[in-house]
Coordinates of all heavy atoms in Angstrom, one line a residue:
M1 N 0.8 -1.2 0.0 CA 0.0 0.0 0.0 C 0.9 1.3 0.0 O 0.6 2.2 -0.7 CB -0.9 0.0 1.2 CG -1.6 1.2 1.4 SD -3.4 0.9 1.1 CE -4.0 2.4 1.6
F2 N 1.9 1.2 0.8 CA 2.8 2.4 0.9 C 3.5 2.6 -0.4 O 3.8 3.8 -0.8 CB 3.8 2.2 2.1 CG 4.7 3.4 2.2 CD1 4.2 4.6 2.7 CD2 6.1 3.2 1.9 CE1 5.1 5.6 2.9 CE2 6.9 4.3 2.1 CZ 6.4 5.5 2.6
V3 N 3.9 1.5 -1.1 CA 4.6 1.6 -2.4 C 3.7 2.3 -3.5 O 4.2 3.1 -4.3 CB 5.1 0.2 -2.8 CG1 5.8 0.3 -4.2 CG2 6.1 -0.3 -1.8
A4 N 2.5 1.9 -3.5 CA 1.5 2.5 -4.5 C 1.4 3.9 -4.3 O 1.3 4.7 -5.2 CB 0.2 1.7 -4.5
S5 N 1.3 4.3 -3.0 CA 1.1 5.7 -2.7 C 2.4 6.5 -3.1 O 2.3 7.6 -3.6 CB 0.8 5.9 -1.2 OG 0.8 7.3 -0.9
E6 N 3.5 5.9 -2.9 CA 4.8 6.6 -3.3 C 4.9 6.7 -4.8 O 5.4 7.8 -5.3 CB 5.9 5.8 -2.7 CG 7.3 6.5 -2.9 CD 8.4 5.7 -2.2 OE1 8.2 5.1 -1.1 OE2 9.5 5.7 -2.8
R7 N 4.4 5.7 -5.5 CA 4.5 5.8 -7.0 C 3.6 6.9 -7.5 O 3.9 7.6 -8.4 CB 4.1 4.4 -7.6 CG 5.2 3.4 -7.5 CD 4.8 2.2 -8.2 NE 5.8 1.2 -8.0 CZ 5.7 -0.1 -8.5 NH1 4.6 -0.5 -9.0 NH2 6.7 -0.9 -8.3
K8 N 2.4 7.0 -6.9 CA 1.4 8.0 -7.3 C 2.0 9.4 -7.0 O 1.9 10.3 -7.9 CB 0.1 7.9 -6.6 CG -0.8 6.8 -7.1 CD -2.1 6.7 -6.3 CE -2.9 5.6 -6.7 NZ -4.2 5.5 -6.0
M9 N 2.7 9.6 -5.9 CA 3.3 10.8 -5.6 C 4.4 11.2 -6.5 O 4.5 12.3 -7.0 CB 3.9 10.8 -4.1 CG 4.5 12.0 -3.7 SD 3.3 13.2 -3.1 CE 3.7 13.2 -1.4
R10 N 5.2 10.2 -6.9 CA 6.3 10.4 -7.8 C 5.8 10.8 -9.2 O 6.3 11.6 -9.9 CB 7.3 9.2 -7.9 CG 8.5 9.5 -8.7 CD 9.5 8.5 -8.6 NE 10.1 8.3 -7.2 CZ 11.1 9.1 -6.7 NH1 11.6 10.0 -7.5 NH2 11.5 8.9 -5.5
A11 N 4.7 10.0 -9.6 CA 4.1 10.3 -10.9 C 3.5 11.7 -11.0 O 3.6 12.4 -12.0 CB 3.0 9.3 -11.2
H12 N 2.9 12.1 -9.9 CA 2.4 13.5 -9.8 C 3.5 14.5 -9.9 O 3.3 15.5 -10.5 CB 1.6 13.6 -8.4 CG 0.9 14.9 -8.3 ND1 1.5 16.1 -7.9 CD2 -0.4 15.2 -8.5 CE1 0.7 17.0 -7.9 NE2 -0.5 16.6 -8.2
Q13 N 4.6 14.3 -9.2 CA 5.7 15.2 -9.3 C 6.3 15.3 -10.7 O 6.6 16.4 -11.2 CB 6.8 14.8 -8.3 CG 6.5 15.0 -6.9 CD 7.5 14.4 -5.9 OE1 8.4 13.7 -6.4 NE2 7.4 14.8 -4.7
V14 N 6.4 14.2 -11.4 CA 6.9 14.1 -12.8 C 6.0 14.9 -13.7 O 6.4 15.7 -14.5 CB 7.2 12.7 -13.2 CG1 7.4 12.6 -14.7 CG2 8.3 12.1 -12.5
L15 N 4.7 14.6 -13.6 CA 3.7 15.3 -14.4 C 3.7 16.9 -14.1 O 3.6 17.6 -15.1 CB 2.3 14.8 -14.2 CG 2.1 13.4 -14.8 CD1 0.7 12.9 -14.4 CD2 2.2 13.4 -16.3
T16 N 3.9 17.2 -12.9 CA 3.9 18.7 -12.6 C 5.2 19.3 -13.2 O 5.1 20.4 -13.8 CB 4.0 18.9 -11.1 OG1 2.8 18.3 -10.5 CG2 4.0 20.3 -10.7
F17 N 6.3 18.6 -13.1 CA 7.5 19.1 -13.7 C 7.4 19.2 -15.2 O 7.8 20.2 -15.8 CB 8.7 18.2 -13.4 CG 10.0 18.5 -14.1 CD1 10.7 19.6 -13.7 CD2 10.4 17.8 -15.2 CE1 11.9 19.9 -14.3 CE2 11.6 18.1 -15.8 CZ 12.3 19.2 -15.4
L18 N 6.8 18.2 -15.9 CA 6.7 18.3 -17.3 C 5.7 19.4 -17.7 O 6.0 20.1 -18.7 CB 6.1 17.0 -17.9 CG 7.1 15.8 -17.9 CD1 6.4 14.5 -18.3 CD2 8.3 16.1 -18.7
L19 N 4.7 19.6 -17.0 CA 3.7 20.7 -17.3 C 4.4 22.1 -17.1 O 4.3 22.9 -18.0 CB 2.5 20.6 -16.4 CG 1.4 21.7 -16.6 CD1 0.8 21.6 -17.9 CD2 0.4 21.6 -15.5
L20 N 5.2 22.3 -16.1 CA 5.9 23.5 -15.9 C 6.9 23.7 -17.0 O 7.2 24.8 -17.4 CB 6.5 23.6 -14.5 CG 5.6 23.7 -13.3 CD1 6.3 23.6 -12.0 CD2 4.9 25.1 -13.4
F21 N 7.6 22.6 -17.4 CA 8.6 22.7 -18.4 C 8.0 23.2 -19.8 O 8.5 24.0 -20.5 CB 9.3 21.4 -18.6 CG 10.3 21.4 -19.7 CD1 11.5 22.0 -19.5 CD2 10.1 20.7 -20.9 CE1 12.5 22.0 -20.6 CE2 11.0 20.7 -21.9 CZ 12.2 21.4 -21.7
V22 N 6.8 22.6 -20.1 CA 6.1 23.0 -21.3 C 5.7 24.4 -21.3 O 5.8 25.2 -22.3 CB 4.9 22.0 -21.6 CG1 4.1 22.5 -22.7 CG2 5.5 20.6 -21.9
I23 N 5.1 24.8 -20.2 CA 4.6 26.2 -20.0 C 5.8 27.2 -20.2 O 5.7 28.2 -20.9 CB 3.9 26.4 -18.7 CG1 2.6 25.6 -18.8 CG2 3.6 27.9 -18.4 CD1 1.8 25.6 -17.4
T24 N 6.9 27.0 -19.5 CA 8.0 27.9 -19.6 C 8.7 27.9 -21.0 O 9.1 29.0 -21.4 CB 9.1 27.6 -18.5 OG1 9.5 26.2 -18.7 CG2 8.5 27.8 -17.1
S25 N 8.7 26.8 -21.7 CA 9.3 26.8 -23.0 C 8.4 27.5 -24.0 O 8.9 28.2 -24.8 CB 9.5 25.3 -23.5 OG 8.3 24.7 -23.7
V26 N 7.1 27.4 -23.9 CA 6.2 28.1 -24.7 C 6.3 29.6 -24.4 O 6.3 30.5 -25.3 CB 4.7 27.6 -24.6 CG1 3.7 28.5 -25.3 CG2 4.6 26.2 -25.2
A27 N 6.4 30.0 -23.2 CA 6.5 31.4 -22.8 C 7.8 32.0 -23.3 O 7.8 33.1 -23.8 CB 6.4 31.5 -21.3
S28 N 8.8 31.2 -23.3 CA 10.1 31.8 -23.8 C 10.1 31.9 -25.3 O 10.7 32.9 -25.8 CB 11.3 30.9 -23.3 OG 11.2 29.7 -24.0
E29 N 9.4 31.0 -26.0 CA 9.3 31.2 -27.5 C 8.5 32.4 -27.8 O 8.8 33.2 -28.7 CB 8.6 29.9 -28.1 CG 9.5 28.8 -28.2 CD 8.8 27.6 -28.8 OE1 7.7 27.8 -29.3 OE2 9.4 26.5 -28.8
N30 N 7.4 32.6 -27.1 CA 6.5 33.8 -27.4 C 7.2 35.1 -27.0 O 6.9 36.1 -27.6 CB 5.2 33.6 -26.7 CG 4.3 32.5 -27.3 OD1 4.5 32.2 -28.5 ND2 3.4 32.0 -26.6
A31 N 8.1 35.0 -26.0 CA 8.7 36.3 -25.6 C 9.8 36.7 -26.6 O 10.1 37.9 -26.7 CB 9.4 36.0 -24.2
S32 N 10.3 35.8 -27.4 CA 11.3 36.1 -28.3 C 10.7 36.7 -29.6 O 11.4 37.3 -30.4 CB 12.2 34.9 -28.7 OG 11.4 33.9 -29.3
T33 N 9.5 36.4 -29.9 CA 8.8 37.0 -31.1 C 7.9 38.1 -30.6 O 7.4 38.2 -29.5 CB 8.0 35.9 -31.8 OG1 7.0 35.5 -30.9 CG2 8.8 34.8 -32.3
S34 N 7.7 39.0 -31.6 CA 6.8 40.2 -31.3 C 5.4 39.8 -31.4 O 5.0 38.9 -32.1 CB 7.2 41.3 -32.2 OG 8.5 41.7 -32.0
R35 N 4.6 40.6 -30.8 CA 3.1 40.4 -30.9 C 2.6 40.7 -32.3 O 2.9 41.8 -32.8 CB 2.4 41.4 -29.9 CG 1.0 41.0 -29.5 CD 0.5 41.9 -28.4 NE 0.6 43.3 -28.7 CZ -0.5 44.0 -29.1 NH1 -1.6 43.4 -29.2 NH2 -0.4 45.3 -29.3
G36 N 2.0 39.8 -32.9 CA 1.5 39.9 -34.3 C 2.4 39.2 -35.3 O 2.0 39.0 -36.4
C37 N 3.5 38.7 -34.9 CA 4.4 38.0 -35.8 C 4.3 36.5 -35.5 O 4.1 36.0 -34.4 CB 5.9 38.4 -35.6 SG 6.1 40.2 -35.8
G38 N 4.6 35.7 -36.6 CA 4.6 34.2 -36.4 C 5.9 33.8 -35.9 O 6.9 34.5 -35.7
L39 N 6.0 32.5 -35.5 CA 7.2 31.9 -34.9 C 8.3 31.7 -36.0 O 9.5 31.6 -35.6 CB 6.9 30.6 -34.2 CG 6.0 30.8 -33.0 CD1 5.7 29.4 -32.4 CD2 6.7 31.6 -31.9
D40 N 7.9 31.5 -37.2 CA 8.9 31.1 -38.2 C 9.3 32.3 -39.1 O 9.8 32.2 -40.2 CB 8.4 30.0 -39.1 CG 7.0 30.4 -39.8 OD1 6.5 31.4 -39.4 OD2 6.6 29.7 -40.7
L41 N 9.2 33.5 -38.6 CA 9.5 34.7 -39.3 C 11.0 35.1 -39.2 O 11.6 34.9 -38.1 CB 8.7 35.9 -38.8 CG 8.7 37.2 -39.6 CD1 8.1 37.0 -41.0 CD2 8.0 38.3 -38.9
L42 N 11.6 35.5 -40.2 CA 13.0 35.9 -40.2 C 13.2 37.1 -39.3 O 12.3 38.0 -39.4 CB 13.6 36.1 -41.6 CG 13.7 34.9 -42.5 CD1 14.1 35.2 -43.9 CD2 14.6 33.8 -41.9
P43 N 14.3 37.3 -38.6 CA 14.4 38.4 -37.7 C 14.4 39.8 -38.4 O 13.9 40.8 -37.8 CB 15.8 38.2 -37.1 CG 16.1 36.8 -37.2 CD 15.4 36.3 -38.5
Q44 N 14.8 39.9 -39.6 CA 14.9 41.2 -40.3 C 13.4 41.7 -40.6 O 13.3 42.9 -40.9 CB 15.7 41.2 -41.5 CG 15.3 40.3 -42.6 CD 16.1 39.1 -42.7 OE1 16.6 38.6 -41.7 NE2 16.2 38.5 -43.9
Y45 N 12.4 40.8 -40.6 CA 11.1 41.2 -40.9 C 10.2 41.4 -39.7 O 9.0 41.7 -39.8 CB 10.4 40.2 -41.9 CG 11.2 40.0 -43.1 CD1 11.7 38.8 -43.5 CD2 11.4 41.1 -44.0 CE1 12.5 38.6 -44.6 CE2 12.1 40.9 -45.2 CZ 12.7 39.7 -45.5 OH 13.4 39.5 -46.6
V46 N 10.7 41.2 -38.5 CA 9.9 41.3 -37.3 C 9.4 42.7 -37.1 O 8.2 42.9 -36.7 CB 10.8 40.8 -36.1 CG1 10.1 41.1 -34.8 CG2 11.0 39.3 -36.2
S47 N 10.1 43.7 -37.4 CA 9.7 45.1 -37.2 C 8.5 45.4 -38.1 O 7.7 46.4 -37.8 CB 10.8 46.1 -37.4 OG 11.3 46.0 -38.8
L48 N 8.3 44.7 -39.2 CA 7.1 45.0 -40.1 C 5.8 44.5 -39.5 O 4.7 45.0 -39.8 CB 7.4 44.5 -41.5 CG 8.5 45.2 -42.2 CD1 8.7 44.5 -43.6 CD2 8.1 46.6 -42.5
C49 N 5.8 43.4 -38.8 CA 4.6 42.8 -38.3 C 4.4 43.1 -36.8 O 3.4 42.6 -36.2 CB 4.5 41.3 -38.6 SG 5.8 40.4 -37.7
D50 N 5.3 43.8 -36.1 CA 5.2 44.0 -34.7 C 4.0 45.0 -34.5 O 4.0 46.1 -35.0 CB 6.5 44.6 -34.2 CG 6.5 44.8 -32.7 OD1 5.5 44.4 -32.0 OD2 7.4 45.4 -32.2
L51 N 3.0 44.6 -33.7 CA 1.8 45.4 -33.5 C 2.1 46.6 -32.5 O 1.3 47.5 -32.4 CB 0.7 44.6 -32.9 CG 0.1 43.6 -33.9 CD1 -1.0 42.7 -33.3 CD2 -0.4 44.2 -35.2
D52 N 3.3 46.5 -31.8 CA 3.6 47.6 -30.9 C 4.4 48.7 -31.6 O 4.5 49.8 -31.1 CB 4.5 47.1 -29.8 CG 3.7 46.1 -28.9 OD1 2.4 46.3 -28.8 OD2 4.3 45.1 -28.4
A53 N 5.0 48.4 -32.8 CA 5.7 49.4 -33.6 C 4.8 49.9 -34.7 O 4.5 49.1 -35.6 CB 7.0 48.8 -34.1
I54 N 4.3 51.1 -34.6 CA 3.3 51.6 -35.5 C 3.8 51.8 -37.0 O 3.1 51.6 -37.9 CB 2.7 52.9 -35.0 CG1 1.4 53.3 -35.8 CG2 3.7 54.0 -35.0 CD1 0.3 52.4 -35.5
W55 N 5.1 52.0 -37.1 CA 5.6 52.4 -38.5 C 5.5 51.2 -39.4 O 5.3 51.3 -40.6 CB 7.0 52.9 -38.4 CG 8.1 51.9 -38.2 CD1 8.5 51.6 -36.9 CD2 8.8 51.2 -39.1 NE1 9.5 50.6 -37.1 CE2 9.7 50.3 -38.4 CE3 8.8 51.1 -40.5 CZ2 10.5 49.5 -39.0 CZ3 9.6 50.2 -41.1 CH2 10.5 49.4 -40.4
G56 N 5.6 49.9 -38.9 CA 5.5 48.8 -39.7 C 4.1 48.6 -40.3 O 3.9 48.3 -41.4
I57 N 3.1 48.9 -39.4 CA 1.7 48.9 -39.9 C 1.5 49.9 -40.9 O 0.8 49.7 -41.9 CB 0.8 49.0 -38.7 CG1 1.0 47.8 -37.7 CG2 -0.7 49.1 -39.1 CD1 0.3 48.0 -36.4
V58 N 2.0 51.1 -40.7 CA 1.9 52.2 -41.7 C 2.5 51.8 -43.0 O 1.9 52.1 -44.1 CB 2.5 53.5 -41.2 CG1 2.5 54.6 -42.2 CG2 1.7 54.0 -39.9
V59 N 3.7 51.2 -43.0 CA 4.3 50.8 -44.3 C 3.4 49.8 -45.0 O 3.2 49.9 -46.2 CB 5.7 50.2 -44.0 CG1 6.3 49.5 -45.2 CG2 6.6 51.3 -43.6
E60 N 2.9 48.8 -44.3 CA 2.0 47.8 -44.9 C 0.7 48.5 -45.4 O 0.2 48.1 -46.5 CB 1.7 46.7 -43.9 CG 2.9 45.9 -43.6 CD 2.6 44.7 -42.7 OE1 1.4 44.4 -42.5 OE2 3.6 44.2 -42.1
A61 N 0.2 49.4 -44.7 CA -1.1 50.1 -45.2 C -0.8 50.9 -46.4 O -1.6 50.9 -47.4 CB -1.6 51.0 -44.1
V62 N 0.3 51.6 -46.5 CA 0.7 52.4 -47.7 C 0.9 51.4 -48.9 O 0.4 51.7 -50.0 CB 1.9 53.2 -47.4 CG1 2.5 53.8 -48.7 CG2 1.6 54.3 -46.4
A63 N 1.5 50.3 -48.7 CA 1.7 49.3 -49.7 C 0.4 48.8 -50.2 O 0.2 48.6 -51.4 CB 2.7 48.2 -49.3
G64 N -0.5 48.5 -49.3 CA -1.8 48.0 -49.7 C -2.6 49.0 -50.4 O -3.3 48.7 -51.4
A65 N -2.5 50.3 -50.0 CA -3.2 51.3 -50.7 C -2.7 51.5 -52.1 O -3.4 51.8 -53.1 CB -3.1 52.6 -49.9
G66 N -1.3 51.4 -52.2 CA -0.7 51.5 -53.6 C -1.2 50.4 -54.5 O -1.4 50.7 -55.7
A67 N -1.3 49.2 -54.0 CA -1.8 48.1 -54.8 C -3.2 48.3 -55.3 O -3.6 48.1 -56.4 CB -1.7 46.8 -54.1
L68 N -4.1 48.8 -54.4 CA -5.5 49.1 -54.7 C -5.6 50.2 -55.7 O -6.4 50.2 -56.7 CB -6.3 49.4 -53.5 CG -6.6 48.2 -52.5 CD1 -7.3 48.7 -51.3 CD2 -7.4 47.2 -53.2
I69 N -4.8 51.3 -55.6 CA -4.8 52.4 -56.5 C -4.3 51.9 -57.9 O -4.9 52.3 -58.9 CB -4.0 53.6 -56.0 CG1 -4.7 54.2 -54.8 CG2 -3.7 54.6 -57.1 CD1 -3.8 55.2 -54.1
T70 N -3.3 51.1 -57.9 CA -2.9 50.5 -59.2 C -3.9 49.7 -59.9 O -4.2 49.9 -61.1 CB -1.6 49.6 -59.0 OG1 -0.6 50.4 -58.3 CG2 -1.1 49.0 -60.2
L71 N -4.7 48.9 -59.2 CA -5.8 48.1 -59.8 C -6.9 49.0 -60.3 O -7.4 48.8 -61.3 CB -6.3 47.1 -58.7 CG -5.4 45.9 -58.4 CD1 -6.0 45.1 -57.3 CD2 -5.1 45.1 -59.6
L72 N -7.2 50.1 -59.5 CA -8.2 51.0 -59.9 C -7.8 51.8 -61.2 O -8.6 51.9 -62.1 CB -8.5 52.0 -58.8 CG -9.5 53.1 -59.1 CD1 -10.9 52.4 -59.2 CD2 -9.5 54.1 -58.0
L73 N -6.6 52.2 -61.3 CA -6.1 52.9 -62.5 C -6.1 52.0 -63.7 O -6.4 52.4 -64.8 CB -4.7 53.5 -62.3 CG -4.7 54.7 -61.3 CD1 -3.2 55.1 -61.1 CD2 -5.5 55.8 -61.9
M74 N -5.7 50.7 -63.5 CA -5.8 49.7 -64.6 C -7.2 49.5 -65.1 O -7.4 49.4 -66.3 CB -5.2 48.4 -64.2 CG -3.7 48.4 -64.0 SD -2.9 46.9 -63.4 CE -3.7 45.6 -64.3
L75 N -8.1 49.5 -64.2 CA -9.5 49.3 -64.5 C -10.0 50.5 -65.3 O -10.7 50.4 -66.3 CB -10.4 49.1 -63.3 CG -11.9 48.8 -63.5 CD1 -12.1 47.5 -64.2 CD2 -12.6 48.8 -62.2
I76 N -9.7 51.7 -64.8 CA -10.1 52.9 -65.5 C -9.5 52.9 -67.0 O -10.2 53.3 -67.9 CB -9.7 54.2 -64.7 CG1 -10.5 54.3 -63.5 CG2 -9.8 55.4 -65.6 CD1 -10.0 55.4 -62.5
L77 N -8.2 52.5 -67.1 CA -7.6 52.5 -68.4 C -8.3 51.5 -69.3 O -8.6 51.8 -70.5 CB -6.1 52.1 -68.3 CG -5.4 52.0 -69.6 CD1 -5.2 53.3 -70.3 CD2 -4.0 51.4 -69.4
L78 N -8.6 50.3 -68.8 CA -9.3 49.3 -69.6 C -10.7 49.8 -70.1 O -11.2 49.5 -71.2 CB -9.4 48.0 -68.9 CG -8.1 47.2 -68.8 CD1 -8.3 46.0 -67.9 CD2 -7.6 46.9 -70.2
V79 N -11.4 50.5 -69.2 CA -12.8 51.0 -69.5 C -12.7 52.1 -70.6 O -13.5 52.2 -71.5 CB -13.5 51.5 -68.2 CG1 -14.8 52.2 -68.6 CG2 -13.8 50.3 -67.4
R80 N -11.7 53.0 -70.5 CA -11.6 54.1 -71.4 C -10.9 53.8 -72.7 O -10.9 54.6 -73.6 CB -11.0 55.3 -70.6 CG -11.8 55.8 -69.5 CD -11.3 57.1 -68.9 NE -11.1 58.1 -70.0 CZ -11.7 59.2 -70.0 NH1 -12.6 59.5 -69.1 NH2 -11.5 60.0 -71.0
L81 N -10.2 52.7 -72.7 CA -9.4 52.4 -73.9 C -10.1 52.4 -75.2 O -9.6 52.9 -76.2 CB -8.7 51.0 -73.7 CG -7.5 50.7 -74.6 CD1 -6.4 51.8 -74.4 CD2 -6.9 49.3 -74.2
P82 N -11.3 51.8 -75.3 CA -12.1 51.9 -76.6 C -12.4 53.3 -77.0 O -12.6 53.5 -78.2 CB -13.3 51.1 -76.3 CG -13.1 50.3 -75.1 CD -12.1 51.0 -74.3
F83 N -12.5 54.2 -76.2 CA -12.9 55.6 -76.5 C -11.7 56.5 -76.9 O -11.9 57.6 -77.3 CB -13.7 56.2 -75.3 CG -14.9 55.4 -75.0 CD1 -15.0 54.7 -73.8 CD2 -16.0 55.4 -75.9 CE1 -16.1 54.0 -73.5 CE2 -17.1 54.7 -75.5 CZ -17.2 54.0 -74.3
I84 N -10.5 56.0 -76.7 CA -9.3 56.8 -77.0 C -9.1 56.8 -78.5 O -9.0 55.7 -79.1 CB -8.1 56.3 -76.3 CG1 -8.3 56.5 -74.7 CG2 -6.9 57.1 -76.7 CD1 -7.2 55.9 -73.9
K85 N -9.0 57.9 -79.2 CA -8.7 58.0 -80.6 C -7.3 58.5 -80.8 O -6.8 59.3 -80.0 CB -9.8 58.9 -81.3 CG -11.2 58.4 -81.2 CD -12.1 59.3 -81.9 CE -13.5 58.7 -81.8 NZ -14.5 59.6 -82.4
E86 N -6.8 58.2 -81.9 CA -5.4 58.6 -82.2 C -5.4 60.1 -82.6 O -6.3 60.7 -83.2 CB -4.9 57.8 -83.4 CG -4.5 56.4 -82.9 CD -3.9 55.6 -84.0 OE1 -3.1 56.2 -84.8 OE2 -4.1 54.4 -84.0

């Protein structure tokens, strides 16, 4: 009876240790990456997706707006192309 109780205690200690190990390893991984960035992102691109650094978001917004404006201008050109005379 005493041996079974000791095994349960030891198993409980091992499980607690493993749980704490997993929690601390996940916390250290998340601490090394910025909020908003994935885990597999190269370090030189972290500043672009960091939600705490506003300039990265501004750069991405300007790039997105530029892409939308380009599509809009292409659409306008295609619509007006038949009406253009030499």
